[in-house]
Amino acid sequence: MPTSVSTSAPSKRRFYLRWPFAVAVAAVIGYGVAVAMHWDDRGMLWVKERFETSAERSESVWLPNYRVDIDAKVLPGMEDDEASDVAYSPHTRTLFAVMGKNPFLVELSLQGDVLRKIPLAGWSNPEGVAVLEDGGIAITDERQHDLTVVKVDAQTVSLNHADFPSYDLGESVKSNKGFEGIAWDPMRQRLVIGEERPPKLYTWNSDGRSPLKGQKQVLASDDLDLRNLSALAVDPRTGHLLVLSADSNMLLELDEQARQVSFMTLLGGFNGLQSTIPRAEGVTMDDQGNLYMVSEPNLFYRFKKKQQ
């Protein structure tokens, strides 16, 4: 009678030989993903945040304390327009947002209600918007690599690119990943301009009233470790810079030396968000410290700081 040979032992050995290899592969892949997503940096910053004193937190924006109070409000009739950025105007106490796919400027209330739409003739792909010292509105065009300062009043019904002064921003490293964000810094009297990928910051000194002179200057930052830069905002109270990244699902706070201070994830379940913000493209802050965001295709968010 033939003797049967058991195959269970060799199979077990092969399993145990494969198991360490599979774990090693998973660990390498996990580490690569963590580095690519900058989870390692966020983890270090999260630990650092735990040691910040109450005084240090009060001197910053301190994003962990923000909670959404208007969550994914739909901007009606703008499903195909792609919200690109938003800026707060202290002159009108309203918001101005730019739409990139079908270029126009839209004025919003602080509750995200549409007040009016202003067509932008001559713009190709407006991506950034900022309200200057005198109420002028700076608009960056990613495709045309320029910055245009327009005037808007209660009677404005349309804007033509050729009617206003424009300033060449120069070529970006990647033509379709160009100058994406812009913010007015009233404390330092300058514009801050952001390049999308790789993320990079520039400044352009101005009094916010006169025509721009000179050229943009590089603002060095070793802490700008985000997958892309979608938008910029400046807190008028602290002067700290807020950097939005759609690809990283992150809002990052930088201090006056462009060092990381705090961050806020835009994933569902955090900071009161029911769902992940689909693609956050614009951010601004008012003089009361309230945060506003817009996301593609046509969503509006407002965040308020909870009482400590």
Side-chain angles (χ1 to χ4, degrees):
M1 183 174 181
T3 304
S4 62
V5 179
S6 173
T7 59
S8 60
S11 296
K12 287 181 179 179
R13 283 197 295 271
R14 284 195 296 270
F15 172 78
Y16 288 121
L17 285 172
R18 290 197 302 269
W19 177 249
F21 176 75
V23 170
V25 170
V28 170
I29 293 173
Y31 177 76
V33 171
V35 171
M37 296 292 289
H38 299 288
W39 291 342
D40 51 342
D41 300 303
R42 295 292 84 77
M44 291 175 63
L45 181 56
W46 184 85
V47 171
K48 178 185 172 185
E49 286 179 348
R50 305 309 102 188
F51 293 94
E52 296 283 350
T53 66
S54 297
E56 289 171 325
R57 295 183 183 192
S58 65
E59 292 171 358
S60 67
V61 176
W62 203 250
L63 294 170
N65 279 357
Y66 277 81
R67 295 292 179 271
V68 70
D69 81 322
I70 299 179
D71 192 351
K73 182 175 182 175
V74 173
L75 301 177
M78 304 182 199
E79 297 82 2
D80 300 320
D81 298 318
E82 294 186 357
S84 294
D85 198 8
V86 64
Y88 170 72
S89 172
H91 308 278
T92 59
R93 295 199 60 78
T94 60
L95 304 167
F96 287 91
V98 285
M99 301 290 161
K101 189 174 181 180
N102 300 303
F104 65 87
L105 189 69
V106 55
E107 187 173 7
L108 305 170
S109 74
L110 300 185
Q111 291 73 42
D113 299 318
V114 177
L115 303 177
R116 58 173 168 164
K117 298 179 183 179
I118 304 172
L120 296 174
W123 278 266
S124 299
N125 187 25
E127 286 289 344
V129 62
V131 178
L132 306 183
E133 196 77 11
D134 64 350
I137 297 177
I139 301 173
T140 58
D141 191 299
E142 185 177 37
R143 197 167 295 141
Q144 296 177 182
H145 305 282
D146 69 2
L147 182 163
T148 306
V149 180
V150 304
K151 296 292 184 181
V152 175
D153 58 29
Q155 286 72 47
T156 302
V157 294
S158 65
L159 295 166
N160 192 308
H161 188 279
D163 294 337
F164 301 96
S166 292
Y167 305 89
D168 184 15
L169 292 175
E171 291 296 318
S172 56
V173 175
K174 296 183 178 180
S175 59
N176 64 333
K177 302 294 181 184
F179 300 100
E180 186 89 359
I182 186 169
W184 170 245
D185 183 350
M187 189 176 291
R188 297 174 185 83
Q189 295 285 286
R190 65 184 185 181
L191 283 164
V192 185
I193 303 164
E195 192 170 352
E196 181 180 6
R197 187 178 289 123
K200 195 171 184 179
L201 297 173
Y202 301 86
T203 61
W204 199 320
N205 292 333
S206 168
D207 62 6
R209 298 180 178 85
S210 309
L212 295 178
K213 296 180 180 179
Q215 294 182 335
K216 69 183 191 303
Q217 303 296 321
V218 174
L219 176 61
S221 174
D222 294 330
D223 283 356
L224 205 61
D225 46 7
L226 296 164
R227 295 180 66 199
N228 81 318
L229 185 155
S230 299
L232 298 171
V234 173
D235 175 16
R237 304 159 307 155
T238 64
H240 285 193
L241 182 66
L242 301 177
V243 185
L244 182 66
S245 173
D247 289 353
S248 296
N249 292 306
M250 188 77 60
L251 181 64
L252 184 64
E253 177 188 2
L254 303 179
D255 66 12
E256 55 274 10
Q257 278 80 46
R259 298 173 302 198
Q260 294 181 8
V261 176
S262 71
F263 75 98
M264 179 171 75
T265 182
L266 308 180
L267 300 176
F270 293 89
N271 298 86
L273 289 166
Q274 285 195 343
S275 302
T276 298
I277 298 180
R279 185 164 184 83
E281 289 289 335
V283 63
T284 192
M285 176 172 274
D286 67 22
D287 46 17
Q288 302 300 308
N290 299 312
L291 270 171
Y292 305 86
M293 290 187 199
V294 291
S295 169
E296 293 181 356
N298 62 332
L299 300 178
F300 174 87
Y301 299 79
R302 184 176 70 187
F303 296 79
K304 287 181 175 287
K305 195 170 186 178
K306 67 179 182 180
Q307 298 299 318
Q308 299 187 39

